[in-house]
Amino acid sequence: MNTLLANAEVPGLFEGDEFSTLMTACKEGAQRQGLLLDSQDELYKWFTQQIVKNLHVVFTMNPPEDGLSSRAATSPALFNRCVLNWFGDWSHEALFQVASELTQSVDLDRPNFVAPETIPVAYQDLALPASHRDTVVNSMVYVHHSVRHFNQRLEKQLGRVTYLTPRHFLDFVAHYVRLFREKREDLEEQQRHLNVGLEKLRDTVDKVKDLRASLAQKNSQLKAKDIEANEKLQGMIADQREAEQRKSTSLKIQAKLAKQEEEVAKRKEVVNADLEKAEPAVLSAQESVRNIKRQQLNEVRSLPNPPAGVKLALEAVCTLLGHKADNWKTIQAIVRRDDFIASIVGYDNEGQMTKGHRSRMQNDFLSKDEFTYERVNRASKACGPLVQWVEAQVNYSAILDRVGPLREEAEQLEDRALQTKAEAQAIEKQIGGFEDSIARYKTEYASLISETQAIKTEMSRVEFKVERSVRLLDSLSSERTRWEQGSRSFETQSSTIVGDVLVASAALAYSGLFDQQFRKAMGDNWLSQLTLSGIEYKTPNPMTEYLSTADERLKWQGHNLPVDDLCTENAIILKRFNRYPLIIDPSARATEFLQNENKDRRLIVTSFLDDSFIKQLESALRFGNPILIQDAEHLDPILNHVLNKEYQKTGGRVLIQLGKQEIDFSPAFKLYLTTRDPSAVFPPDVCSRTTIVNFTVTRSSLQTQSLDDVLKSERPDVDQRRSNLVKMQGEFNTHLRKLEKRLLRALNESTGNILDDDVVIETLETLKKEAADIGKKMGETEGVMVEVNTITKEYSAISRACSAVYAVLEQLHQLNHFYQFSLQYFIDIFHQVLTENPNLQGISNHSARGDIILRDIFIRTYQRTSLGLLQRDRITVAMLLARASPRVTDKATMDMILDTTALGNDVSGDAQLRSQVLGRASSMEMLQNQLPGISTSQWDRFCTEELAENVVPPVWDDTVDEIGRQLRSVLLVKLLRVDRFVPAAEKLLAAVFGSNFFESSEDLDTIVGQVKSTTPIALSSNPGFDASYKVNHLVDKLKVRCANIAMGSNEGPRSADKAVSEAAATGHWVLIKNVHLAPGWLQGLEKRLGSLKPHPDFRLFLSMETSPKIPVNLLRTSRILMYEQPAGVRANMRDSLSTLADRGNKAPVEKARLYLLLSFLHAIIQERLRYAPTLGWKGFWEFNDSDYECAAFIIDTWVDGIARGRSNVAPAKLPWDLLRILIIETYGGKIDDAEDFQQLEVIVNQCMTPAAYEDGHQLVAGAPDEEAEAYSDGNGGLATPEGTTMADFKRWVDRLPEREPPRYLGLPANAEKLVLVGHGKEIIGNVARLSSILDEGEQLAGEEERGV
């Protein structure tokens, strides 16, 4: 774009055939303008002129403030060839118009609304009196403008910069429209459900009345049926009795009949036995007769004169048949009959043969000899069987005659039996009649009983329904009351939905970056705007409850979301965002929460520093996986299209551009950006396209966590019970809410009569029973919870102290960029106090142990943290801890000490100022009754004594404890002797925490044992001081292997990476020096350490200057140790001389004194920095040990050149002028102030002089008599030592005062006091400034704890 605007061309755009085609078109175009151009250069020039003439470009950019100048330098045509239009934020007119347009679909009109006169006007052209819609939109504009005020306040209080853009406002309006519809639909749905439920309950009441009336009618029917059934039963019983009597008679008759039948059977048996003997002969004869052949019979009939036997046989047959056969012809005639044989076979012996007949047959035929079968059969085969038949019939008749009486007797018996049987049958018939009657009675009775039972069943069912319904109505009475109240409240909720949604939407769009106290202030400000505008809203209406359900909050807690309002609000923002969230997550809790929340969807965790970042992003975009990208401060521009949500729809596919390629985009894709740097500042384009969510730990969540930790350590039994109860109550509450929803849903889903729907009724009863059981269990747990809470409260002071201490640590970065302490850092301290505390050994009393833990939290925190602080800031931190301590109960005095309106003074040399200050002090309530009792001599001594903190007048009575006395002492010191504020504060701290408060036993060796292998040890120092020698000493002491790498070259990072990888695998140490020279390499160091999984013995040491380029994440991860130049001339000279010990013992001898002079000069130059910029130097010039080393090299070079190996050289022959000039240039090269350079020349000339080799030479001239009395010892002068060896000079250095007189440094006698005054005021100012920030957080934490 820059080239196009500057040169009207894009080089290389047209090549080959495209260029030829362009030239042809240009030639035609030029000809149309009447131009004759032949060469390609002329044609291309004409083409570029057309571009300049006709090309119009409009482009936008949103650069960060520090990026605009670089863009202007690299692309000047973007600015000098364009008309610049600075838009900035939208005007109030634009905001109002956009919001009005985007909310047209939202029902914001209220016909009866009357705008109050107090309405704050954000849109200047707002028509008054404003309609409800315009009032709401005006409030939206106000909310947007108010955020700019809070951004400024954030920058002023916390030094944090953020940007407000129109995208924030668009996001705010989008949230409003969506949330309004959602809440309106929810309200209508809830109202419908409640109204249906209430209608069902009212209908049930009516149905119960009808059922009771039906029950009374059924009762009457039941009584009538009972009477009728009783009558039937009595008739049935009477018939039953009669039938039983008849059955008894019948049984007797049947017994008699059986006896008779038995006798008949016996008689018949005898008769039948005789008859059975004759019957076979008769039957056999009959068969023989039947077998007579007709031919045989014809032969007999044809005989004119048959044999006698034949004739006799046939005559016997004819006679027996009843014929008169007196001659053969008659016989022949009978025989010729066709039925002759049939009459024989069918002869009825019993009916045809009489007794006389039988006698005749016996006498006339059977008695004759020739009448035998054998004879007759020989004569005629036909007549033989006839003889047998006659004999059989006669014999059979004789038997019948013999058994005749028996047969008659049997017949008589049989007749009597028949008569008896007839009687029995008559009785049986009567019994059958009775039984039919009984059966009829039974049927009728059963029918009545069935009807009665049906009535009873119906009554029972109705009674059960009534009973159940009444019971149900009773059990639902509480719900009914609540539902009726809820139904009535819908109107209220509908009226407040506009205001409620406005505040909630503003919180979603704007509040994510801010901490809890800012969020509360913003919410209060917005609610005040609504109140003044007459817009109704619900109060109280916390965002956590309005935008989430209890079930969601419980699920989030189960996913390790800290239990506090800020984290819950953040979880809501992460659920409802429009712009992808950018999460500030110093403690990595949000990352852990999101991993648990997206466990089922395979959350991809990567980093902008990972090589595979783009591949993982592409995979997530394609397949719709959520992705969490860490280190958002290194945001890759390749993400711009994703953040802008620039989707393209092509042929049913949704595409998004990623780099140079277009890939498929899944609508399920979610993006989370995170940074662990709480101080990260993002440019406007990032702020506008993301929703920033701040997960910095809150005081309330830390209180909860520390309370859990101390209970687990000190009272594990109570902690277990407490955890179980909290979990149980949470589950109970969730289950109760689910039951209530199911109850309402069951009522809504029932159709027809609810009392007929057993499933619904049973469901309702079950739900109410479960609810009652849960309510009972919750009641039981409450008693136990009270007991557990009583014990828990004993440790609440510890949890509050932990919260307060960490709040102090969290704000220390306001003092220095390097004071970055993570939550894990404090938790490690806390766990050490709990588990590795020698003070707890042998102590079993819980109260005593709690007091020790409470005290040691502050002591251990200070002792460990002070190692990472500059000396000047240690008292500030200690005072902040004392202020947070529960032992300091006199908050009023502490507040007066920190009151910046009551200025600190040093009245030791100003009597008038002393009178003024005492006058102001006498007006203070706590001092006004005490000051008159102090004598003048006490005031004089206090105001003039050098150690004034030891002679503070007693402005207290006997009731004040030691801490209270020390507080008042510090107050007086501040008012009158602020130069002694530090020692006075130290005495206060000793009273609060004990005399061992400032005694830290942690050296580098101890710290190496404390930290983990993944925690670097950062040795930080001011420019010019290198503390890496301490690591070298420790390496020599412990005999460990340590690799030394120095940064500052191109090979440094590669060498460092290699050394770290090797040592992490083997468990050795690595010392990397001057890492501040490679800030880019440090960015990824923390991640590399985490991915290495190093050996437990591995340790990484980083030496660095306190540079702002050091990444905050690394500082928070590392264990920071702060090292400074030794304070004072003596300490400085000791340190510098120790580096030249060997060189100082070499010839010539005179060189050792030059080293002494150089060490003194170096110490003076550096110590004067303590007094900058008011005294000493005007600027904080970066003098360091390198300057000293360079000056020593100059001395070595020129002195050795003069001496030429001799052991002695005359001091006068040394090149003093050359040495002075070179030393001045060495140190003065860093000075850009003329006066300071002149002062350096004076100091160098005074020190580097041949007179220094003379006995008694005054390195520092004594003060005049009028100034000398200001020094407690001597006149402030200093003479050169005797001797010539380094040992002599070291002994002289050891005899120097610990704190040198200001005259040593060329400063006035009161210079030290001025520094002390300034230091005291600085401490008070810093403590007051941080205390105001801490107070806001403490107030908010207290409100949150009380549930405000």
Side-chain angles (χ1 to χ4, degrees):
M1 179 64 73
N2 180 70
T3 305
L4 178 63
L5 292 174
N7 303 322
E9 67 169 337
V10 178
L13 183 62
F14 299 101
E15 294 180 349
D17 293 341
E18 289 183 349
F19 185 76
S20 300
T21 304
L22 175 66
M23 291 299 98
T24 302
C26 289
K27 190 171 185 178
E28 294 174 356
Q31 289 175 352
R32 282 195 296 271
Q33 293 183 2
L35 299 175
L36 297 176
L37 305 176
D38 296 325
S39 68
Q40 289 186 350
D41 291 340
E42 290 177 337
L43 289 172
Y44 194 78
K45 185 178 180 181
W46 178 84
F47 173 62
T48 57
Q49 290 172 353
Q50 300 307 305
I51 292 176
V52 172
K53 181 179 179 181
N54 297 307
L55 179 66
H56 295 272
V57 177
V58 177
F59 71 94
T60 64
M61 67 167 63
N62 189 15
E65 290 181 358
D66 58 350
L68 187 60
S69 58
S70 63
R71 294 194 185 189
T74 56
S75 305
L78 297 182
F79 299 90
N80 58 28
R81 295 294 179 92
C82 294
V83 177
L84 299 185
N85 193 342
W86 296 88
F87 270 86
D89 200 0
W90 287 352
S91 66
H92 58 89
E93 293 94 348
L95 293 172
F96 187 89
Q97 185 175 351
V98 168
S100 298
E101 195 67 32
L102 295 177
T103 56
Q104 283 300 315
S105 61
V106 181
D107 180 18
L108 298 179
D109 297 313
R110 300 288 185 274
N112 299 326
F113 174 76
V114 178
E117 297 179 357
T118 57
I119 179 172
V121 176
Y123 170 50
Q124 301 302 321
D125 298 330
L126 182 69
L128 299 176
S131 66
H132 189 267
R133 176 179 293 276
D134 287 349
T135 303
V136 172
V137 176
N138 176 74
S139 295
M140 288 182 172
V141 177
Y142 173 87
V143 166
H144 183 73
H145 286 322
S146 72
V147 178
R148 183 177 292 104
H149 162 73
F150 285 105
N151 287 350
Q152 294 168 352
R153 178 176 162 188
L154 181 71
E155 182 177 3
K156 181 180 179 182
Q157 291 187 1
L158 304 179
R160 186 183 188 90
V161 178
T162 187
Y163 300 94
L164 182 68
T165 68
R167 285 198 194 207
H168 287 86
F169 186 70
L170 293 175
D171 188 40
F172 169 33
V173 177
H175 274 300
Y176 186 88
V177 173
R178 185 172 66 179
L179 191 57
F180 185 92
R181 289 173 180 162
E182 175 190 327
K183 289 297 179 181
R184 172 63 65 86
E185 289 172 2
D186 286 350
L187 275 176
E188 291 173 351
E189 183 68 12
Q190 290 176 25
Q191 188 170 18
R192 186 184 67 78
H193 272 70
L194 283 185
N195 288 343
V196 170
L198 288 170
E199 188 60 36
K200 293 283 184 182
L201 290 181
R202 295 189 190 102
D203 187 55
T204 303
V205 173
D206 296 337
K207 289 290 190 297
V208 168
K209 292 179 181 177
D210 296 341
L211 287 174
R212 282 177 168 162
S214 170
L215 197 62
Q217 183 181 358
K218 295 289 182 184
N219 196 31
S220 301
Q221 293 177 359
L222 181 64
K223 288 180 180 178
K225 292 291 182 182
D226 278 342
I227 294 172
E228 187 177 352
N230 191 49
E231 292 175 352
K232 296 290 182 184
L233 181 62
Q234 294 302 322
M236 184 174 66
I237 291 172
D239 285 356
Q240 184 78 27
R241 191 180 296 116
E242 185 65 27
E244 287 175 355
Q245 291 176 357
R246 298 287 183 186
K247 281 182 179 179
S248 177
T249 304
S250 174
L251 288 174
K252 292 177 182 177
I253 292 172
Q254 285 177 358
K256 180 179 177 183
L257 178 62
K259 188 176 180 182
Q260 290 174 345
E261 286 178 345
E262 185 181 355
E263 291 177 357
V264 170
K266 287 179 181 179
R267 296 291 185 273
K268 281 185 175 182
E269 185 179 355
V270 174
V271 172
N272 291 336
D274 290 339
L275 292 175
E276 285 174 357
K277 293 176 182 178
E279 277 182 353
V282 174
L283 293 173
S284 177
Q286 287 177 346
E287 186 62 28
S288 298
V289 171
R290 191 179 288 115
N291 289 334
I292 296 174
K293 297 179 180 178
R294 183 168 292 277
Q295 182 180 359
Q296 294 173 343
L297 195 58
N298 289 335
E299 289 177 0
V300 173
R301 284 190 301 216
S302 64
L303 291 174
N305 188 19
V310 172
K311 182 180 179 183
L312 184 62
L314 290 173
E315 185 180 358
V317 171
C318 292
T319 302
L320 189 60
L321 289 175
H323 300 291
K324 187 175 180 181
D326 51 359
N327 55 48
W328 176 242
K329 287 184 179 181
T330 305
I331 292 171
Q332 282 180 319
I334 293 171
V335 172
R336 284 192 182 98
R337 290 182 180 179
D338 293 334
D339 61 346
F340 176 73
I341 296 300
S343 61
I344 293 173
V345 173
Y347 181 77
D348 180 11
N349 187 297
E350 193 172 351
Q352 290 181 258
M353 185 176 288
T354 62
K355 189 174 181 180
H357 200 180
R358 183 177 68 247
S359 297
R360 182 185 173 191
M361 291 299 295
Q362 183 70 35
N363 294 328
D364 292 348
F365 300 100
L366 270 70
S367 60
K368 295 180 177 181
D369 292 337
E370 61 271 20
F371 193 79
T372 63
Y373 169 77
E374 291 80 7
R375 291 182 177 179
V376 174
N377 192 53
R378 279 196 299 271
S380 173
K381 292 294 183 183
C383 293
L386 293 176
V387 171
Q388 286 179 328
W389 178 77
V390 171
E391 287 178 347
Q393 289 294 344
V394 172
N395 290 335
Y396 186 71
S397 176
I399 290 171
L400 284 176
D401 188 59
R402 189 173 64 249
V403 298
L406 290 175
R407 290 182 71 182
E408 289 177 1
E409 184 181 356
E411 289 174 356
Q412 290 176 359
L413 289 173
E414 194 169 359
D415 290 341
R416 286 201 299 272
L418 289 172
Q419 185 179 357
T420 303
K421 190 173 184 179
E423 292 177 5
Q425 287 177 346
I427 293 174
E428 284 295 328
K429 187 175 181 181
Q430 290 178 351
I431 291 173
F434 282 120
E435 286 179 346
D436 290 343
S437 175
I438 291 170
R440 190 170 59 254
Y441 276 128
K442 281 184 177 180
T443 302
E444 293 174 355
Y445 181 73
S447 177
L448 288 171
I449 291 299
S450 177
E451 292 177 15
T452 304
Q453 191 61 40
I455 294 172
K456 284 184 177 180
T457 301
E458 179 66 17
M459 287 182 66
S460 176
R461 190 175 67 82
V462 173
E463 283 178 350
F464 177 72
K465 272 188 180 182
V466 171
E467 237 175 68
R468 188 169 60 177
S469 303
V470 170
R471 193 167 61 246
L472 180 66
L473 290 172
D474 290 341
S475 63
L476 290 178
S477 59
S478 59
E479 272 75 8
R480 179 178 182 179
T481 304
R482 185 164 51 80
W483 292 347
E484 287 175 345
Q485 292 173 350
S487 184
R488 288 193 296 270
S489 73
F490 280 127
E491 185 177 346
T492 305
Q493 293 181 55
S494 297
S495 65
T496 64
I497 188 173
V498 173
D500 296 341
V501 169
L502 191 147
V503 174
S505 303
L508 291 173
Y510 296 111
S511 69
L513 170 70
F514 298 92
D515 60 20
Q516 197 64 18
Q517 54 255 46
F518 269 88
R519 292 185 186 187
K520 184 176 186 303
M522 293 167 82
D524 292 343
N525 179 270
W526 298 337
L527 291 177
S528 174
Q529 159 71 18
L530 297 185
T531 301
L532 295 174
S533 300
I535 299 174
E536 297 183 46
Y537 59 89
K538 180 183 176 183
T539 180
N541 188 28
M543 174 182 171
T544 52
E545 295 181 10
Y546 190 64
L547 296 182
S548 68
T549 64
D551 295 344
E552 287 176 330
R553 295 193 291 274
L554 192 65
K555 183 188 75 170
W556 291 339
Q557 292 171 22
H559 290 162
N560 290 347
L561 182 75
V563 186
D564 64 87
D565 284 348
L566 181 132
C567 290
T568 305
E569 291 172 5
N570 288 345
I572 292 170
I573 295 174
L574 293 180
K575 177 190 172 188
R576 293 177 171 271
F577 64 84
N578 290 328
R579 299 168 294 163
Y580 290 121
L582 192 162
I583 306 167
I584 300 172
D585 186 24
S587 60
R589 289 187 168 189
T591 301
E592 181 184 3
F593 164 67
L594 287 172
Q595 285 177 317
N596 292 329
E597 186 78 359
N598 293 279
K599 189 178 296 182
D600 298 335
R601 295 189 57 201
R602 292 176 51 220
L603 177 72
I604 300 172
V605 180
T606 184
S607 166
F608 286 108
L609 303 176
D610 289 348
D611 295 335
S612 60
F613 146 69
I614 295 179
K615 288 184 179 179
Q616 291 176 314
L617 175 61
E618 182 179 345
S619 173
L621 286 166
R622 286 184 188 277
F623 301 110
N625 293 328
I627 184 170
L628 185 147
I629 309 178
Q630 299 173 331
D631 303 302
E633 62 270 27
H634 305 290
L635 186 78
D636 193 321
I638 199 172
L639 210 61
N640 286 343
H641 292 285
V642 178
L643 293 179
N644 292 336
K645 298 185 178 180
E646 295 174 356
Y647 315 133
Q648 302 173 17
K649 293 185 178 180
T650 306
R653 296 169 60 196
V654 180
L655 303 176
I656 193 166
Q657 187 170 343
L658 188 65
K660 295 182 179 180
Q661 61 176 334
E662 289 186 344
I663 62 173
D664 289 295
F665 175 80
S666 170
F669 170 79
K670 281 189 177 181
L671 170 66
Y672 303 97
L673 306 176
T674 69
T675 175
R676 288 198 292 166
D677 182 0
S679 62
V681 177
F682 297 97
D685 59 322
V686 176
C687 292
S688 68
R689 292 181 296 175
T690 59
T691 300
I692 299 181
V693 186
N694 192 346
F695 264 93
T696 302
V697 66
T698 64
R699 298 186 68 164
S700 59
S701 65
L702 183 55
Q703 278 191 35
T704 303
Q705 180 181 350
S706 53
L707 183 61
D708 291 343
D709 290 344
V710 73
L711 284 175
K712 286 175 184 175
S713 175
E714 292 296 300
R715 301 295 294 271
D717 56 328
V718 175
D719 178 67
Q720 187 64 42
R721 291 167 64 193
R722 176 172 169 267
S723 300
N724 292 340
L725 286 172
V726 169
K727 182 180 179 183
M728 192 183 303
Q729 287 188 340
E731 291 174 350
F732 283 168
N733 284 325
T734 302
H735 195 45
L736 271 178
R737 284 188 291 272
K738 288 181 179 177
L739 290 177
E740 290 174 357
K741 289 180 181 178
R742 286 172 56 195
L743 180 66
L744 201 54
R745 188 168 62 247
L747 285 173
N748 274 266
E749 291 176 353
S750 66
T751 56
N753 186 359
I754 190 174
L755 299 179
D756 293 334
D757 194 336
D758 291 338
V759 175
V760 173
I761 294 293
E762 289 171 7
T763 301
L764 297 178
E765 287 183 339
T766 303
L767 294 178
K768 288 307 297 181
K769 183 181 179 182
E770 290 182 17
D773 291 343
I774 291 174
K776 182 180 178 182
K777 289 178 181 177
M778 287 186 67
E780 293 171 355
T781 60
E782 285 176 0
V784 182
M785 199 64 182
V786 169
E787 177 189 352
V788 171
N789 285 340
T790 303
I791 299 173
T792 302
K793 283 182 181 177
E794 297 175 7
Y795 296 93
S796 59
I798 295 176
S799 67
R800 287 194 298 270
C802 289
S803 174
V805 169
Y806 181 68
V808 170
L809 295 178
E810 200 176 26
Q811 295 301 329
L812 293 185
H813 68 88
Q814 306 275 356
L815 300 176
N816 191 302
H817 169 73
F818 258 63
Y819 300 167
Q820 303 284 350
F821 302 98
S822 66
L823 177 62
Q824 190 59 47
Y825 168 83
F826 174 72
I827 290 175
D828 290 342
I829 296 175
F830 185 46
H831 286 172
Q832 187 184 27
V833 171
L834 293 177
T835 60
E836 302 174 18
N837 193 344
N839 297 329
L840 293 176
Q841 293 180 1
I843 307 296
S844 58
N845 182 273
H846 293 302
S847 178
R849 289 177 66 88
D851 292 340
I852 292 171
I853 292 170
L854 183 60
R855 183 196 66 204
D856 287 356
I857 289 171
F858 290 90
I859 296 175
R860 292 288 179 87
T861 300
Y862 174 78
Q863 290 178 345
R864 182 173 293 188
T865 306
S866 63
L867 299 177
L869 305 175
L870 294 169
Q871 287 284 348
R872 64 185 299 110
D873 293 326
R874 292 185 178 182
I875 291 297
T876 301
V877 175
M879 286 293 289
L880 289 169
L881 291 174
R883 187 178 176 279
S885 171
R887 297 199 65 198
V888 179
T889 56
D890 190 357
K891 300 297 182 184
T893 305
M894 179 62 83
D895 290 342
M896 291 184 67
I897 293 172
L898 302 179
D899 184 0
T900 53
T901 60
L903 300 176
N905 301 280
D906 176 18
V907 301
S908 55
D910 192 335
Q912 183 178 0
L913 180 61
R914 167 179 161 182
S915 299
Q916 292 174 357
V917 173
L918 286 175
R920 289 196 295 268
S922 61
S923 63
M924 296 180 180
E925 185 177 352
M926 68 177 61
L927 297 178
Q928 60 186 4
N929 296 328
Q930 304 295 333
L931 291 182
I934 307 301
S935 65
T936 304
S937 61
Q938 287 176 306
W939 285 121
D940 291 342
R941 186 181 179 192
F942 173 62
C943 293
T944 57
E945 186 78 30
E946 183 176 355
L947 305 179
E949 69 277 5
N950 295 329
V951 291
V952 178
V955 286
W956 54 79
D957 52 36
D958 296 338
T959 60
V960 180
D961 61 8
E962 179 61 22
I963 295 176
R965 295 178 181 183
Q966 292 300 332
L967 276 170
R968 297 197 180 195
S969 296
V970 172
L971 176 60
L972 277 187
V973 167
K974 175 203 170 183
L975 295 174
L976 298 162
R977 290 296 303 275
V978 74
D979 59 309
R980 304 304 299 170
F981 184 84
V982 171
E986 289 175 346
K987 293 186 68 175
L988 168 64
L989 295 167
V992 175
F993 299 118
S995 57
N996 64 339
F997 181 67
F998 295 101
E999 299 174 5
S1000 176
S1001 60
E1002 295 184 356
D1003 55 11
L1004 188 58
D1005 191 359
T1006 307
I1007 292 167
V1008 167
Q1010 287 176 350
V1011 301
K1012 299 177 182 177
S1013 58
T1014 53
T1015 303
I1017 300 174
L1019 288 75
S1020 310
S1021 59
N1022 287 327
F1025 185 78
D1026 185 7
S1028 60
Y1029 71 91
K1030 293 182 179 293
V1031 178
N1032 295 327
H1033 290 170
L1034 184 60
V1035 168
D1036 295 338
K1037 174 184 174 183
L1038 299 179
K1039 308 298 182 186
V1040 295
R1041 181 179 170 185
C1042 180
N1044 279 268
I1045 308 294
M1047 289 295 189
S1049 65
N1050 292 333
E1051 295 77 18
R1054 287 194 296 272
S1055 301
D1057 285 336
K1058 182 179 178 182
V1060 168
S1061 299
E1062 292 177 354
T1066 58
H1068 298 146
W1069 294 4
V1070 177
L1071 169 61
I1072 306 177
K1073 301 179 181 179
N1074 301 324
V1075 294
H1076 58 279
L1077 299 178
W1081 178 80
L1082 291 176
Q1083 298 287 3
L1085 176 61
E1086 178 204 354
K1087 286 199 168 295
R1088 283 194 291 275
L1089 287 176
S1091 62
L1092 280 176
K1093 297 182 180 178
H1095 189 283
D1097 294 334
F1098 168 72
R1099 293 294 182 272
L1100 176 62
F1101 300 89
L1102 306 173
S1103 76
M1104 64 185 75
E1105 292 181 0
T1106 52
S1107 167
K1109 294 181 180 179
I1110 305 297
V1112 171
N1113 283 351
L1114 181 65
L1115 294 176
R1116 293 176 70 86
T1117 307
S1118 305
R1119 182 69 180 277
I1120 306 294
L1121 302 177
M1122 188 69 72
Y1123 294 98
E1124 301 177 74
Q1125 282 280 8
V1129 170
R1130 184 177 74 178
N1132 198 304
M1133 290 186 69
R1134 278 177 179 170
D1135 187 63
S1136 57
L1137 282 176
S1138 65
T1139 64
L1140 302 177
D1142 296 335
R1143 292 156 66 180
N1145 293 324
K1146 295 180 180 179
V1149 174
E1150 288 74 14
K1151 189 162 59 174
R1153 186 174 289 264
L1154 275 176
Y1155 287 155
L1156 174 67
L1157 296 176
L1158 178 61
S1159 297
F1160 184 71
L1161 170 65
H1162 182 70
I1164 290 173
I1165 290 174
Q1166 287 200 315
E1167 284 300 304
R1168 284 175 66 92
L1169 288 171
R1170 292 179 54 235
Y1171 300 87
T1174 53
L1175 296 171
W1177 307 111
K1178 289 186 176 180
F1180 293 95
W1181 316 122
E1182 295 184 1
F1183 304 121
N1184 54 48
D1185 289 348
S1186 298
D1187 301 325
Y1188 176 76
E1189 290 286 346
C1190 184
F1193 175 76
I1194 292 170
I1195 291 173
D1196 288 342
T1197 301
W1198 289 100
V1199 172
D1200 289 346
I1202 295 294
R1204 295 181 181 178
R1206 288 174 292 182
S1207 60
N1208 293 92
V1209 64
K1213 291 186 178 182
L1214 295 175
W1216 291 103
D1217 291 337
L1218 182 62
L1219 293 176
R1220 283 193 287 262
I1221 290 173
L1222 291 176
I1223 291 173
I1224 289 172
E1225 291 301 327
T1226 298
Y1227 283 94
K1230 298 178 178 179
I1231 298 175
D1232 62 6
D1233 182 81
E1235 292 184 13
D1236 276 0
F1237 192 84
Q1238 290 176 1
Q1239 183 64 47
L1240 175 66
E1241 289 179 332
V1242 171
I1243 296 172
V1244 173
N1245 291 332
Q1246 285 178 348
C1247 292
M1248 306 305 290
T1249 173
Y1253 284 85
E1254 299 174 2
D1255 293 340
H1257 172 70
Q1258 292 289 313
L1259 271 177
V1260 179
D1265 293 341
E1266 61 273 13
E1267 293 183 18
E1269 60 185 18
Y1271 297 100
S1272 58
D1273 185 15
N1275 60 2
L1278 179 65
T1280 54
E1282 298 179 356
T1284 58
T1285 66
M1286 291 294 287
D1288 295 334
F1289 298 149
K1290 286 182 178 180
R1291 284 193 293 272
W1292 178 78
V1293 170
D1294 290 339
R1295 291 195 298 271
L1296 291 176
E1298 181 180 357
R1299 296 302 302 174
E1300 70 282 350
R1303 193 159 185 81
Y1304 283 14
L1305 310 178
L1307 300 175
N1310 66 343
E1312 183 66 22
K1313 180 168 285 193
L1314 292 176
V1315 170
L1316 294 175
V1317 169
H1319 190 200
K1321 290 181 177 180
E1322 181 186 15
I1323 291 174
I1324 294 170
N1326 286 336
V1327 174
R1329 178 165 59 90
L1330 295 185
S1331 295
S1332 65
I1333 298 173
L1334 294 169
D1335 283 342
E1336 290 185 16
E1338 185 177 4
Q1339 179 183 358
L1340 193 69
E1343 291 177 358
E1344 192 173 326
E1345 188 176 352
R1346 294 190 300 272
V1348 175

